[in-house]
Amino acid sequence: MLNGIFLSVILMLVLGNVTYIYGNSETSNQTTSTFTDVPQSHWAAKTIQTLADLNITQGVKPGIFGLGQTITRSEFVTFLVRIEGWELNKVNTTAFTDININHWYASYIETARQHGVFGNQYPTVFRPTAPITREEMAVMI
């Protein structure tokens, strides 16, 4: 149940630039933010901070969440692995020809692959730095 709630929250944050669709909320979401690019009055600030507190997101770099930015395929897979609480598999090799085992996301992608997140959809190439589409997110979920 809890995983489903967090997955829904992540989907809300990553399915496009929701900031521009909904704007600021009239309700108070005042919180102390870990990220300097997330105003405390932003409608998603409290949720973003909760995701950071649970170590589901660490932002795009220290102190920066990346509010309004496009999410990559590797970033989305990382969210999924963290939400599910899967133990990261040590990566000695990878099934994908475009993943270097030394990249930060290699263990996350390989862990998700081993849990069947991709099915047979990506037999040899994953494109980890490409933006993820809504269709791809739906299939992975």
Side-chain angles (χ1 to χ4, degrees), residues 1 9 13-14 17 27 30 34 36 43 53 55-56 59 63 85 99 102 104 117 120 134-135:
M1 175 75 171
V9 169
L13 292 171
V14 299
N17 292 323
T27 60
Q30 296 294 323
T34 300
T36 59
W43 67 270
D53 292 344
N55 199 32
I56 293 170
I99 306 251
N102 296 315
W104 69 267
V117 169
N120 295 326
R134 292 173 184 214
E135 176 186 2

Side-chain angles (χ1 to χ4, degrees), residues 32-102:
T32 303
S33 180
T34 300
F35 305 109
T36 59
D37 64 330
V38 179
Q40 290 183 6
S41 60
H42 189 276
W43 67 270
K46 190 173 184 179
T47 302
I48 292 167
Q49 186 58 48
T50 299
L51 293 173
D53 292 344
L54 294 171
N55 199 32
I56 293 170
T57 184
Q58 298 170 349
V60 295
K61 57 185 169 182
I64 304 294
F65 177 69
L67 189 65
Q69 292 182 9
T70 303
I71 189 168
T72 66
R73 295 162 56 81
S74 59
E75 291 168 335
F76 185 75
V77 168
T78 300
F79 284 162
L80 288 178
V81 169
R82 288 178 178 168
I83 286 170
E84 291 297 333
W86 292 328
E87 185 176 331
L88 286 180
N89 297 324
K90 183 176 165 81
V91 177
N92 295 320
T93 62
T94 179
F96 301 110
T97 58
D98 60 343
I99 306 251
N100 179 319
I101 63 169
N102 296 315

